[in-house]
Amino acid sequence: KGGGHDATRTVSRAGPGGAMRAVERQTQRAVPEGEGFEVTFRSLVPGVSGAMEERERVRQSERRQGDAVAIDRLRYQPDLSGKWSVVERRVSRSTGAEEETRTDEALYRYDVSNRLRLERQVEAREWKDSEGRSRMEAEIFDADLDGGLRFAGRVQQSRRELGDGRTETTETREEASPAAPGEGVRVVRRLVERSAPAGAERTRRVLEVQEPSPNGGMRVTHTQERVESR
């Protein structure tokens, strides 16, 4: 098992004049604990002085329970005084067969009375299709004011290998209208990300955001390019 594993990822974007500058640094430390791992994630961004400052922290506990994997994930953020507090908790359980993995996840957040309450539930499944693409479909249920759950939407994701280390991932988000639940769901956004190696230790990613157009199709509303260093 060893004493743990550390990883760092730096995200850079082109600034004025075209020079690349770091806009985020993510660190991860995984330590074996019993039949699983304790993982700490940290996200740092440039502060007022330009130096990297920690913005968010996540502590994740992973445990194997028979054929299932249980994950308990706590997200922390600092207040104005610098004190770190839990703002979100995610609890999930995944079970896998030969061809499909199913995951049930519950998202909890603190309400105005500082009580942790269920906000969202997600039921997801992952598999590979006949063409070898990785597929994911998740149904989302939001908590209503009465404490029940209502169907809120669906996320579908497809990832395919293009060769030479290149990949293309497409994610389509559909949402149901709370005002007209009988009308079903409609596509509200599609994300297409293409990645390719940019040297031995770097990956270039281009993200394309598509949203519904007035004529009923989809149009590109935003494009973003970044380089990640491992």
Side-chain angles (χ1 to χ4, degrees):
K1 288 187 175 179
H5 173 73
D6 294 282
T8 300
R9 185 179 75 163
T10 301
V11 179
S12 302
R13 294 199 185 105
M20 301 298 292
R21 62 185 182 90
V23 296
E24 184 178 11
R25 181 171 296 127
Q26 300 169 347
T27 68
Q28 173 185 325
R29 178 164 179 76
V31 179
E33 185 72 26
E35 295 299 317
F37 286 89
E38 296 290 336
V39 188
T40 301
F41 303 89
R42 288 185 168 86
S43 176
L44 300 93
V45 297
V48 176
S49 66
M52 287 292 189
E53 298 179 356
E54 190 173 1
R55 177 186 63 182
E56 187 173 273
R57 184 181 301 165
V58 174
R59 296 189 186 280
Q60 180 171 298
S61 172
E62 302 179 15
R63 296 287 183 273
R64 178 164 291 280
Q65 301 173 346
D67 294 333
V69 175
I71 295 177
D72 194 340
R73 184 181 178 98
L74 297 174
R75 184 165 66 90
Y76 298 78
Q77 287 183 340
D79 59 20
L80 295 177
S81 67
K83 179 183 177 182
W84 290 83
S85 301
V86 177
V87 295
E88 178 184 285
R89 182 184 183 190
R90 291 177 182 266
V91 180
S92 67
R93 181 179 174 85
S94 300
T95 55
E98 289 186 5
E99 299 180 353
E100 184 175 274
T101 299
R102 289 185 174 270
T103 301
D104 292 322
E105 180 183 79
L107 167 65
Y108 299 86
R109 287 202 176 106
Y110 284 96
D111 60 18
V112 293
S113 302
N114 205 34
R115 292 178 300 185
L116 203 60
R117 69 175 183 85
L118 178 66
E119 182 169 291
R120 173 168 290 183
Q121 192 164 301
V122 179
E123 299 175 0
R125 64 189 187 98
E126 300 175 59
W127 73 100
K128 282 196 173 183
D129 63 19
S130 58
E131 298 179 5
R133 293 175 297 187
S134 299
R135 305 290 296 271
M136 185 277 290
E137 181 176 280
E139 293 196 338
I140 302 168
F141 301 84
D142 285 344
D144 56 29
L145 296 177
D146 299 324
L149 292 170
R150 64 170 181 83
F151 177 68
R154 183 183 297 113
V155 176
Q156 296 177 318
Q157 190 178 89
S158 173
R159 182 177 185 273
R160 60 178 181 145
E161 306 288 339
L162 302 177
D164 298 324
R166 298 175 298 123
T167 64
E168 180 181 83
T169 303
T170 302
E171 179 179 295
T172 302
R173 180 175 292 272
E174 302 171 311
E175 290 184 0
S177 170
E183 294 184 0
V185 296
R186 59 187 179 88
V187 176
V188 296
R189 178 170 291 187
R190 180 174 292 129
L191 306 177
V192 181
E193 183 184 78
R194 299 176 180 89
S195 69
E201 298 293 331
R202 306 174 78 190
T203 301
R204 184 178 303 277
R205 299 183 187 276
V206 178
L207 176 66
E208 182 180 278
V209 180
Q210 303 176 11
E211 295 182 350
S213 62
N215 63 11
M218 300 294 289
R219 61 188 176 92
V220 177
T221 59
H222 180 66
T223 300
Q224 182 182 90
E225 182 175 335
R226 68 182 191 272
V227 176
E228 297 177 358
S229 301
R230 299 185 295 277

